[in-house]
Amino acid sequence: MRILYTAAATSIGGRKGHGATADGKLKTDFSVPKEMGGDNGKGVNPEQLFSLGYSSCFGSAIQHVAGIRKRKIEEIAVTAHTSIGRKEGPGGLALEVTLDIRLPDLPQAEAEEIVAEADRVCPYSNAIRGNVTVHLRVAGHKGT
């Protein structure tokens, strides 16, 4: 791999601690959701951060694919729902993600094609493929 960019961040104290990026642009406290036995404090959790990163990256992958196809998309909305739960067998916990993708400028069939291609080029999708179940829900323009 030819590296283009490297991000660095440090967390201290796990899910009840805090963390920051090396450049200082992001600093946050962590807290555990009530559903996982925590106090649902003011901090964020790793699943929220993953959702934010994945949704942003996937949106950029859609823009990339649309650009190659010479299609201008005015509105791209990607909502990532990252779930954590117990998995069967050894290994403890696992993630599952649902991406809700809204592309109202495109006919449904074309929106689905672009999203499928974006899933093949998105670095997050490629990183977790085969390890994390990902559901893609696509909403394009229904009229054409």
Side-chain angles (χ1 to χ4, degrees):
M1 176 174 85
R2 185 175 63 88
I3 295 173
L4 301 174
Y5 169 76
T6 300
T10 301
S11 62
I12 298 169
R15 287 183 175 268
K16 296 180 182 178
H18 57 274
T21 57
D23 62 9
K25 290 182 179 180
L26 175 64
K27 296 178 184 176
T28 190
D29 291 324
F30 301 118
S31 61
V32 180
K34 279 190 176 180
E35 297 87 345
M36 294 179 67
D39 65 357
N40 212 31
K42 292 182 181 181
V44 299
N45 61 63
E47 293 73 34
Q48 290 171 314
L49 295 171
F50 188 87
S51 289
L52 191 58
Y54 197 178
S55 64
S56 174
C57 190
F58 203 90
S60 291
I62 290 170
Q63 289 171 328
H64 173 76
V65 171
I68 290 171
R69 292 175 174 229
K70 308 266 191 267
R71 284 294 268 148
K72 186 173 181 178
I73 303 175
E74 295 293 328
E75 184 180 340
I76 299 171
V78 180
T79 302
H81 306 269
T82 302
S83 301
I84 186 168
R86 299 212 182 277
K87 68 178 191 170
E88 293 182 26
L93 300 173
L95 298 177
E96 184 170 315
V97 178
T98 297
L99 296 178
D100 284 323
I101 302 117
R102 200 179 65 207
L103 303 170
D105 299 333
L106 298 178
Q108 182 68 28
E110 185 178 8
E112 290 173 4
E113 288 175 17
I114 286 176
V115 165
E117 182 61 24
D119 187 45
R120 288 189 282 279
V121 301
C122 174
Y124 271 69
S125 292
N126 288 332
I128 64 174
R129 193 174 327 284
N131 297 310
V132 175
T133 300
V134 176
H135 306 280
L136 302 173
R137 296 192 298 208
V138 183
H141 182 281
K142 302 292 184 193
T144 53

mmCIF file with all atom_site columns, all heavy atoms in Angstrom, residues 78-103:
data_model
loop_
_atom_site.group_PDB
_atom_site.id
_atom_site.type_symbol
_atom_site.label_atom_id
_atom_site.label_alt_id
_atom_site.label_comp_id
_atom_site.label_asym_id
_atom_site.label_entity_id
_atom_site.label_seq_id
_atom_site.pdbx_PDB_ins_code
_atom_site.Cartn_x
_atom_site.Cartn_y
_atom_site.Cartn_z
_atom_site.occupancy
_atom_site.B_iso_or_equiv
_atom_site.pdbx_formal_charge
_atom_site.auth_seq_id
_atom_site.auth_comp_id
_atom_site.auth_asym_id
_atom_site.auth_atom_id
_atom_site.pdbx_PDB_model_num
ATOM 1   N N   . VAL A 1 78  ? -25.783 9.947   4.360  1.00 0.00 ? 78  VAL A N   1
ATOM 2   C CA  . VAL A 1 78  ? -25.467 8.589   4.811  1.00 0.00 ? 78  VAL A CA  1
ATOM 3   C C   . VAL A 1 78  ? -25.545 8.569   6.334  1.00 0.00 ? 78  VAL A C   1
ATOM 4   O O   . VAL A 1 78  ? -24.847 9.327   7.007  1.00 0.00 ? 78  VAL A O   1
ATOM 5   C CB  . VAL A 1 78  ? -24.060 8.143   4.356  1.00 0.00 ? 78  VAL A CB  1
ATOM 6   C CG1 . VAL A 1 78  ? -23.766 6.731   4.853  1.00 0.00 ? 78  VAL A CG1 1
ATOM 7   C CG2 . VAL A 1 78  ? -23.905 8.243   2.842  1.00 0.00 ? 78  VAL A CG2 1
ATOM 8   N N   . THR A 1 79  ? -26.401 7.722   6.856  1.00 0.00 ? 79  THR A N   1
ATOM 9   C CA  . THR A 1 79  ? -26.504 7.527   8.296  1.00 0.00 ? 79  THR A CA  1
ATOM 10  C C   . THR A 1 79  ? -26.035 6.115   8.607  1.00 0.00 ? 79  THR A C   1
ATOM 11  O O   . THR A 1 79  ? -26.570 5.146   8.062  1.00 0.00 ? 79  THR A O   1
ATOM 12  C CB  . THR A 1 79  ? -27.958 7.706   8.780  1.00 0.00 ? 79  THR A CB  1
ATOM 13  O OG1 . THR A 1 79  ? -28.405 9.015   8.417  1.00 0.00 ? 79  THR A OG1 1
ATOM 14  C CG2 . THR A 1 79  ? -28.058 7.529   10.287 1.00 0.00 ? 79  THR A CG2 1
ATOM 15  N N   . ALA A 1 80  ? -25.023 6.014   9.447  1.00 0.00 ? 80  ALA A N   1
ATOM 16  C CA  . ALA A 1 80  ? -24.500 4.708   9.848  1.00 0.00 ? 80  ALA A CA  1
ATOM 17  C C   . ALA A 1 80  ? -25.027 4.363   11.233 1.00 0.00 ? 80  ALA A C   1
ATOM 18  O O   . ALA A 1 80  ? -24.911 5.164   12.168 1.00 0.00 ? 80  ALA A O   1
ATOM 19  C CB  . ALA A 1 80  ? -22.975 4.724   9.855  1.00 0.00 ? 80  ALA A CB  1
ATOM 20  N N   . HIS A 1 81  ? -25.627 3.194   11.330 1.00 0.00 ? 81  HIS A N   1
ATOM 21  C CA  . HIS A 1 81  ? -26.102 2.662   12.612 1.00 0.00 ? 81  HIS A CA  1
ATOM 22  C C   . HIS A 1 81  ? -25.150 1.525   12.985 1.00 0.00 ? 81  HIS A C   1
ATOM 23  O O   . HIS A 1 81  ? -25.179 0.469   12.343 1.00 0.00 ? 81  HIS A O   1
ATOM 24  C CB  . HIS A 1 81  ? -27.524 2.114   12.482 1.00 0.00 ? 81  HIS A CB  1
ATOM 25  C CG  . HIS A 1 81  ? -28.497 3.104   11.917 1.00 0.00 ? 81  HIS A CG  1
ATOM 26  N ND1 . HIS A 1 81  ? -29.236 3.955   12.706 1.00 0.00 ? 81  HIS A ND1 1
ATOM 27  C CD2 . HIS A 1 81  ? -28.837 3.379   10.632 1.00 0.00 ? 81  HIS A CD2 1
ATOM 28  C CE1 . HIS A 1 81  ? -29.999 4.698   11.929 1.00 0.00 ? 81  HIS A CE1 1
ATOM 29  N NE2 . HIS A 1 81  ? -29.777 4.375   10.680 1.00 0.00 ? 81  HIS A NE2 1
ATOM 30  N N   . THR A 1 82  ? -24.296 1.757   13.960 1.00 0.00 ? 82  THR A N   1
ATOM 31  C CA  . THR A 1 82  ? -23.336 0.736   14.379 1.00 0.00 ? 82  THR A CA  1
ATOM 32  C C   . THR A 1 82  ? -23.836 0.098   15.662 1.00 0.00 ? 82  THR A C   1
ATOM 33  O O   . THR A 1 82  ? -24.011 0.772   16.677 1.00 0.00 ? 82  THR A O   1
ATOM 34  C CB  . THR A 1 82  ? -21.947 1.345   14.590 1.00 0.00 ? 82  THR A CB  1
ATOM 35  O OG1 . THR A 1 82  ? -21.524 1.975   13.381 1.00 0.00 ? 82  THR A OG1 1
ATOM 36  C CG2 . THR A 1 82  ? -20.938 0.279   14.988 1.00 0.00 ? 82  THR A CG2 1
ATOM 37  N N   . SER A 1 83  ? -24.072 -1.203  15.599 1.00 0.00 ? 83  SER A N   1
ATOM 38  C CA  . SER A 1 83  ? -24.552 -1.965  16.751 1.00 0.00 ? 83  SER A CA  1
ATOM 39  C C   . SER A 1 83  ? -23.428 -2.840  17.278 1.00 0.00 ? 83  SER A C   1
ATOM 40  O O   . SER A 1 83  ? -22.612 -3.350  16.513 1.00 0.00 ? 83  SER A O   1
ATOM 41  C CB  . SER A 1 83  ? -25.732 -2.851  16.349 1.00 0.00 ? 83  SER A CB  1
ATOM 42  O OG  . SER A 1 83  ? -26.785 -2.079  15.830 1.00 0.00 ? 83  SER A OG  1
ATOM 43  N N   . ILE A 1 84  ? -23.403 -3.012  18.582 1.00 0.00 ? 84  ILE A N   1
ATOM 44  C CA  . ILE A 1 84  ? -22.460 -3.927  19.214 1.00 0.00 ? 84  ILE A CA  1
ATOM 45  C C   . ILE A 1 84  ? -23.286 -4.946  19.994 1.00 0.00 ? 84  ILE A C   1
ATOM 46  O O   . ILE A 1 84  ? -24.309 -4.600  20.594 1.00 0.00 ? 84  ILE A O   1
ATOM 47  C CB  . ILE A 1 84  ? -21.456 -3.187  20.125 1.00 0.00 ? 84  ILE A CB  1
ATOM 48  C CG1 . ILE A 1 84  ? -20.391 -4.151  20.648 1.00 0.00 ? 84  ILE A CG1 1
ATOM 49  C CG2 . ILE A 1 84  ? -22.161 -2.427  21.234 1.00 0.00 ? 84  ILE A CG2 1
ATOM 50  C CD1 . ILE A 1 84  ? -19.207 -3.455  21.318 1.00 0.00 ? 84  ILE A CD1 1
ATOM 51  N N   . GLY A 1 85  ? -22.866 -6.186  19.919 1.00 0.00 ? 85  GLY A N   1
ATOM 52  C CA  . GLY A 1 85  ? -23.602 -7.218  20.635 1.00 0.00 ? 85  GLY A CA  1
ATOM 53  C C   . GLY A 1 85  ? -22.771 -8.469  20.800 1.00 0.00 ? 85  GLY A C   1
ATOM 54  O O   . GLY A 1 85  ? -21.682 -8.591  20.247 1.00 0.00 ? 85  GLY A O   1
ATOM 55  N N   . ARG A 1 86  ? -23.304 -9.375  21.552 1.00 0.00 ? 86  ARG A N   1
ATOM 56  C CA  . ARG A 1 86  ? -22.622 -10.652 21.776 1.00 0.00 ? 86  ARG A CA  1
ATOM 57  C C   . ARG A 1 86  ? -22.777 -11.526 20.546 1.00 0.00 ? 86  ARG A C   1
ATOM 58  O O   . ARG A 1 86  ? -23.841 -11.606 19.959 1.00 0.00 ? 86  ARG A O   1
ATOM 59  C CB  . ARG A 1 86  ? -23.213 -11.349 22.988 1.00 0.00 ? 86  ARG A CB  1
ATOM 60  C CG  . ARG A 1 86  ? -23.062 -10.534 24.237 1.00 0.00 ? 86  ARG A CG  1
ATOM 61  C CD  . ARG A 1 86  ? -22.906 -11.395 25.466 1.00 0.00 ? 86  ARG A CD  1
ATOM 62  N NE  . ARG A 1 86  ? -22.812 -10.560 26.651 1.00 0.00 ? 86  ARG A NE  1
ATOM 63  C CZ  . ARG A 1 86  ? -21.691 -9.982  27.067 1.00 0.00 ? 86  ARG A CZ  1
ATOM 64  N NH1 . ARG A 1 86  ? -20.582 -10.173 26.402 1.00 0.00 ? 86  ARG A NH1 1
ATOM 65  N NH2 . ARG A 1 86  ? -21.681 -9.224  28.158 1.00 0.00 ? 86  ARG A NH2 1
ATOM 66  N N   . LYS A 1 87  ? -21.696 -12.156 20.172 1.00 0.00 ? 87  LYS A N   1
ATOM 67  C CA  . LYS A 1 87  ? -21.753 -13.063 19.036 1.00 0.00 ? 87  LYS A CA  1
ATOM 68  C C   . LYS A 1 87  ? -21.682 -14.500 19.523 1.00 0.00 ? 87  LYS A C   1
ATOM 69  O O   . LYS A 1 87  ? -21.205 -14.769 20.634 1.00 0.00 ? 87  LYS A O   1
ATOM 70  C CB  . LYS A 1 87  ? -20.638 -12.769 18.037 1.00 0.00 ? 87  LYS A CB  1
ATOM 71  C CG  . LYS A 1 87  ? -19.246 -13.081 18.509 1.00 0.00 ? 87  LYS A CG  1
ATOM 72  C CD  . LYS A 1 87  ? -18.249 -12.796 17.409 1.00 0.00 ? 87  LYS A CD  1
ATOM 73  C CE  . LYS A 1 87  ? -16.882 -13.363 17.777 1.00 0.00 ? 87  LYS A CE  1
ATOM 74  N NZ  . LYS A 1 87  ? -15.960 -13.307 16.667 1.00 0.00 ? 87  LYS A NZ  1
ATOM 75  N N   . GLU A 1 88  ? -22.178 -15.381 18.692 1.00 0.00 ? 88  GLU A N   1
ATOM 76  C CA  . GLU A 1 88  ? -22.131 -16.805 19.035 1.00 0.00 ? 88  GLU A CA  1
ATOM 77  C C   . GLU A 1 88  ? -20.710 -17.313 18.894 1.00 0.00 ? 88  GLU A C   1
ATOM 78  O O   . GLU A 1 88  ? -19.962 -16.859 18.035 1.00 0.00 ? 88  GLU A O   1
ATOM 79  C CB  . GLU A 1 88  ? -23.070 -17.587 18.122 1.00 0.00 ? 88  GLU A CB  1
ATOM 80  C CG  . GLU A 1 88  ? -24.540 -17.246 18.349 1.00 0.00 ? 88  GLU A CG  1
ATOM 81  C CD  . GLU A 1 88  ? -25.457 -18.075 17.474 1.00 0.00 ? 88  GLU A CD  1
ATOM 82  O OE1 . GLU A 1 88  ? -25.070 -19.183 17.079 1.00 0.00 ? 88  GLU A OE1 1
ATOM 83  O OE2 . GLU A 1 88  ? -26.559 -17.586 17.201 1.00 0.00 ? 88  GLU A OE2 1
ATOM 84  N N   . GLY A 1 89  ? -20.361 -18.234 19.723 1.00 0.00 ? 89  GLY A N   1
ATOM 85  C CA  . GLY A 1 89  ? -19.036 -18.823 19.657 1.00 0.00 ? 89  GLY A CA  1
ATOM 86  C C   . GLY A 1 89  ? -18.001 -17.974 20.375 1.00 0.00 ? 89  GLY A C   1
ATOM 87  O O   . GLY A 1 89  ? -18.331 -17.028 21.082 1.00 0.00 ? 89  GLY A O   1
ATOM 88  N N   . PRO A 1 90  ? -16.723 -18.307 20.165 1.00 0.00 ? 90  PRO A N   1
ATOM 89  C CA  . PRO A 1 90  ? -15.659 -17.583 20.864 1.00 0.00 ? 90  PRO A CA  1
ATOM 90  C C   . PRO A 1 90  ? -15.510 -16.156 20.326 1.00 0.00 ? 90  PRO A C   1
ATOM 91  O O   . PRO A 1 90  ? -15.870 -15.856 19.196 1.00 0.00 ? 90  PRO A O   1
ATOM 92  C CB  . PRO A 1 90  ? -14.419 -18.417 20.561 1.00 0.00 ? 90  PRO A CB  1
ATOM 93  C CG  . PRO A 1 90  ? -14.729 -19.132 19.291 1.00 0.00 ? 90  PRO A CG  1
ATOM 94  C CD  . PRO A 1 90  ? -16.219 -19.362 19.304 1.00 0.00 ? 90  PRO A CD  1
ATOM 95  N N   . GLY A 1 91  ? -14.988 -15.307 21.149 1.00 0.00 ? 91  GLY A N   1
ATOM 96  C CA  . GLY A 1 91  ? -14.680 -13.969 20.675 1.00 0.00 ? 91  GLY A CA  1
ATOM 97  C C   . GLY A 1 91  ? -15.458 -12.853 21.331 1.00 0.00 ? 91  GLY A C   1
ATOM 98  O O   . GLY A 1 91  ? -15.151 -11.695 21.124 1.00 0.00 ? 91  GLY A O   1
ATOM 99  N N   . GLY A 1 92  ? -16.493 -13.166 22.080 1.00 0.00 ? 92  GLY A N   1
ATOM 100 C CA  . GLY A 1 92  ? -17.178 -12.124 22.838 1.00 0.00 ? 92  GLY A CA  1
ATOM 101 C C   . GLY A 1 92  ? -18.116 -11.244 22.056 1.00 0.00 ? 92  GLY A C   1
ATOM 102 O O   . GLY A 1 92  ? -19.219 -11.647 21.735 1.00 0.00 ? 92  GLY A O   1
ATOM 103 N N   . LEU A 1 93  ? -17.677 -10.032 21.711 1.00 0.00 ? 93  LEU A N   1
ATOM 104 C CA  . LEU A 1 93  ? -18.542 -9.036  21.101 1.00 0.00 ? 93  LEU A CA  1
ATOM 105 C C   . LEU A 1 93  ? -18.215 -8.840  19.617 1.00 0.00 ? 93  LEU A C   1
ATOM 106 O O   . LEU A 1 93  ? -17.098 -9.089  19.179 1.00 0.00 ? 93  LEU A O   1
ATOM 107 C CB  . LEU A 1 93  ? -18.399 -7.696  21.832 1.00 0.00 ? 93  LEU A CB  1
ATOM 108 C CG  . LEU A 1 93  ? -18.767 -7.702  23.308 1.00 0.00 ? 93  LEU A CG  1
ATOM 109 C CD1 . LEU A 1 93  ? -18.420 -6.368  23.948 1.00 0.00 ? 93  LEU A CD1 1
ATOM 110 C CD2 . LEU A 1 93  ? -20.236 -8.014  23.501 1.00 0.00 ? 93  LEU A CD2 1
ATOM 111 N N   . ALA A 1 94  ? -19.207 -8.357  18.885 1.00 0.00 ? 94  ALA A N   1
ATOM 112 C CA  . ALA A 1 94  ? -19.025 -8.087  17.461 1.00 0.00 ? 94  ALA A CA  1
ATOM 113 C C   . ALA A 1 94  ? -19.837 -6.853  17.081 1.00 0.00 ? 94  ALA A C   1
ATOM 114 O O   . ALA A 1 94  ? -20.737 -6.435  17.806 1.00 0.00 ? 94  ALA A O   1
ATOM 115 C CB  . ALA A 1 94  ? -19.477 -9.290  16.624 1.00 0.00 ? 94  ALA A CB  1
ATOM 116 N N   . LEU A 1 95  ? -19.507 -6.292  15.935 1.00 0.00 ? 95  LEU A N   1
ATOM 117 C CA  . LEU A 1 95  ? -20.231 -5.142  15.394 1.00 0.00 ? 95  LEU A CA  1
ATOM 118 C C   . LEU A 1 95  ? -21.104 -5.566  14.223 1.00 0.00 ? 95  LEU A C   1
ATOM 119 O O   . LEU A 1 95  ? -20.807 -6.540  13.534 1.00 0.00 ? 95  LEU A O   1
ATOM 120 C CB  . LEU A 1 95  ? -19.255 -4.069  14.892 1.00 0.00 ? 95  LEU A CB  1
ATOM 121 C CG  . LEU A 1 95  ? -18.326 -3.433  15.911 1.00 0.00 ? 95  LEU A CG  1
ATOM 122 C CD1 . LEU A 1 95  ? -17.384 -2.447  15.223 1.00 0.00 ? 95  LEU A CD1 1
ATOM 123 C CD2 . LEU A 1 95  ? -19.109 -2.752  17.011 1.00 0.00 ? 95  LEU A CD2 1
ATOM 124 N N   . GLU A 1 96  ? -22.161 -4.798  14.015 1.00 0.00 ? 96  GLU A N   1
ATOM 125 C CA  . GLU A 1 96  ? -23.009 -4.924  12.834 1.00 0.00 ? 96  GLU A CA  1
ATOM 126 C C   . GLU A 1 96  ? -23.402 -3.507  12.441 1.00 0.00 ? 96  GLU A C   1
ATOM 127 O O   . GLU A 1 96  ? -23.692 -2.679  13.313 1.00 0.00 ? 96  GLU A O   1
ATOM 128 C CB  . GLU A 1 96  ? -24.247 -5.758  13.131 1.00 0.00 ? 96  GLU A CB  1
ATOM 129 C CG  . GLU A 1 96  ? -25.109 -6.011  11.919 1.00 0.00 ? 96  GLU A CG  1
ATOM 130 C CD  . GLU A 1 96  ? -26.199 -7.025  12.175 1.00 0.00 ? 96  GLU A CD  1
ATOM 131 O OE1 . GLU A 1 96  ? -25.908 -8.086  12.788 1.00 0.00 ? 96  GLU A OE1 1
ATOM 132 O OE2 . GLU A 1 96  ? -27.336 -6.770  11.770 1.00 0.00 ? 96  GLU A OE2 1
ATOM 133 N N   . VAL A 1 97  ? -23.375 -3.211  11.142 1.00 0.00 ? 97  VAL A N   1
ATOM 134 C CA  . VAL A 1 97  ? -23.636 -1.855  10.675 1.00 0.00 ? 97  VAL A CA  1
ATOM 135 C C   . VAL A 1 97  ? -24.757 -1.858  9.649  1.00 0.00 ? 97  VAL A C   1
ATOM 136 O O   . VAL A 1 97  ? -24.809 -2.731  8.769  1.00 0.00 ? 97  VAL A O   1
ATOM 137 C CB  . VAL A 1 97  ? -22.371 -1.231  10.039 1.00 0.00 ? 97  VAL A CB  1
ATOM 138 C CG1 . VAL A 1 97  ? -22.653 0.168   9.505  1.00 0.00 ? 97  VAL A CG1 1
ATOM 139 C CG2 . VAL A 1 97  ? -21.211 -1.197  11.036 1.00 0.00 ? 97  VAL A CG2 1
ATOM 140 N N   . THR A 1 98  ? -25.636 -0.878  9.753  1.00 0.00 ? 98  THR A N   1
ATOM 141 C CA  . THR A 1 98  ? -26.621 -0.603  8.709  1.00 0.00 ? 98  THR A CA  1
ATOM 142 C C   . THR A 1 98  ? -26.356 0.805   8.212  1.00 0.00 ? 98  THR A C   1
ATOM 143 O O   . THR A 1 98  ? -26.278 1.747   9.007  1.00 0.00 ? 98  THR A O   1
ATOM 144 C CB  . THR A 1 98  ? -28.060 -0.707  9.244  1.00 0.00 ? 98  THR A CB  1
ATOM 145 O OG1 . THR A 1 98  ? -28.289 -2.053  9.684  1.00 0.00 ? 98  THR A OG1 1
ATOM 146 C CG2 . THR A 1 98  ? -29.072 -0.352  8.158  1.00 0.00 ? 98  THR A CG2 1
ATOM 147 N N   . LEU A 1 99  ? -26.169 0.934   6.903  1.00 0.00 ? 99  LEU A N   1
ATOM 148 C CA  . LEU A 1 99  ? -26.003 2.243   6.288  1.00 0.00 ? 99  LEU A CA  1
ATOM 149 C C   . LEU A 1 99  ? -27.307 2.612   5.585  1.00 0.00 ? 99  LEU A C   1
ATOM 150 O O   . LEU A 1 99  ? -27.754 1.904   4.689  1.00 0.00 ? 99  LEU A O   1
ATOM 151 C CB  . LEU A 1 99  ? -24.865 2.241   5.268  1.00 0.00 ? 99  LEU A CB  1
ATOM 152 C CG  . LEU A 1 99  ? -23.453 1.988   5.793  1.00 0.00 ? 99  LEU A CG  1
ATOM 153 C CD1 . LEU A 1 99  ? -22.454 1.984   4.638  1.00 0.00 ? 99  LEU A CD1 1
ATOM 154 C CD2 . LEU A 1 99  ? -23.060 3.021   6.830  1.00 0.00 ? 99  LEU A CD2 1
ATOM 155 N N   . ASP A 1 100 ? -27.906 3.706   6.024  1.00 0.00 ? 100 ASP A N   1
ATOM 156 C CA  . ASP A 1 100 ? -29.071 4.264   5.347  1.00 0.00 ? 100 ASP A CA  1
ATOM 157 C C   . ASP A 1 100 ? -28.563 5.368   4.432  1.00 0.00 ? 100 ASP A C   1
ATOM 158 O O   . ASP A 1 100 ? -28.025 6.375   4.911  1.00 0.00 ? 100 ASP A O   1
ATOM 159 C CB  . ASP A 1 100 ? -30.065 4.846   6.358  1.00 0.00 ? 100 ASP A CB  1
ATOM 160 C CG  . ASP A 1 100 ? -30.857 3.777   7.070  1.00 0.00 ? 100 ASP A CG  1
ATOM 161 O OD1 . ASP A 1 100 ? -31.199 2.768   6.428  1.00 0.00 ? 100 ASP A OD1 1
ATOM 162 O OD2 . ASP A 1 100 ? -31.139 3.951   8.264  1.00 0.00 ? 100 ASP A OD2 1
ATOM 163 N N   . ILE A 1 101 ? -28.708 5.155   3.139  1.00 0.00 ? 101 ILE A N   1
ATOM 164 C CA  . ILE A 1 101 ? -28.175 6.079   2.142  1.00 0.00 ? 101 ILE A CA  1
ATOM 165 C C   . ILE A 1 101 ? -29.327 6.711   1.386  1.00 0.00 ? 101 ILE A C   1
ATOM 166 O O   . ILE A 1 101 ? -30.175 6.006   0.833  1.00 0.00 ? 101 ILE A O   1
ATOM 167 C CB  . ILE A 1 101 ? -27.231 5.347   1.157  1.00 0.00 ? 101 ILE A CB  1
ATOM 168 C CG1 . ILE A 1 101 ? -26.095 4.689   1.927  1.00 0.00 ? 101 ILE A CG1 1
ATOM 169 C CG2 . ILE A 1 101 ? -26.694 6.306   0.110  1.00 0.00 ? 101 ILE A CG2 1
ATOM 170 C CD1 . ILE A 1 101 ? -26.058 3.217   1.823  1.00 0.00 ? 101 ILE A CD1 1
ATOM 171 N N   . ARG A 1 102 ? -29.347 8.034   1.382  1.00 0.00 ? 102 ARG A N   1
ATOM 172 C CA  . ARG A 1 102 ? -30.405 8.762   0.690  1.00 0.00 ? 102 ARG A CA  1
ATOM 173 C C   . ARG A 1 102 ? -29.791 9.556   -0.460 1.00 0.00 ? 102 ARG A C   1
ATOM 174 O O   . ARG A 1 102 ? -28.940 10.421  -0.241 1.00 0.00 ? 102 ARG A O   1
ATOM 175 C CB  . ARG A 1 102 ? -31.123 9.685   1.674  1.00 0.00 ? 102 ARG A CB  1
ATOM 176 C CG  . ARG A 1 102 ? -32.501 10.108  1.195  1.00 0.00 ? 102 ARG A CG  1
ATOM 177 C CD  . ARG A 1 102 ? -33.166 10.987  2.188  1.00 0.00 ? 102 ARG A CD  1
ATOM 178 N NE  . ARG A 1 102 ? -32.309 12.175  2.194  1.00 0.00 ? 102 ARG A NE  1
ATOM 179 C CZ  . ARG A 1 102 ? -32.137 13.022  3.195  1.00 0.00 ? 102 ARG A CZ  1
ATOM 180 N NH1 . ARG A 1 102 ? -32.728 12.903  4.247  1.00 0.00 ? 102 ARG A NH1 1
ATOM 181 N NH2 . ARG A 1 102 ? -31.341 14.043  3.120  1.00 0.00 ? 102 ARG A NH2 1
ATOM 182 N N   . LEU A 1 103 ? -30.236 9.251   -1.675 1.00 0.00 ? 103 LEU A N   1
ATOM 183 C CA  . LEU A 1 103 ? -29.778 9.926   -2.886 1.00 0.00 ? 103 LEU A CA  1
ATOM 184 C C   . LEU A 1 103 ? -30.999 10.359  -3.694 1.00 0.00 ? 103 LEU A C   1
ATOM 185 O O   . LEU A 1 103 ? -31.305 9.783   -4.739 1.00 0.00 ? 103 LEU A O   1
ATOM 186 C CB  . LEU A 1 103 ? -28.888 8.996   -3.724 1.00 0.00 ? 103 LEU A CB  1
ATOM 187 C CG  . LEU A 1 103 ? -27.650 8.431   -3.028 1.00 0.00 ? 103 LEU A CG  1
ATOM 188 C CD1 . LEU A 1 103 ? -27.000 7.349   -3.863 1.00 0.00 ? 103 LEU A CD1 1
ATOM 189 C CD2 . LEU A 1 103 ? -26.664 9.547   -2.724 1.00 0.00 ? 103 LEU A CD2 1
#
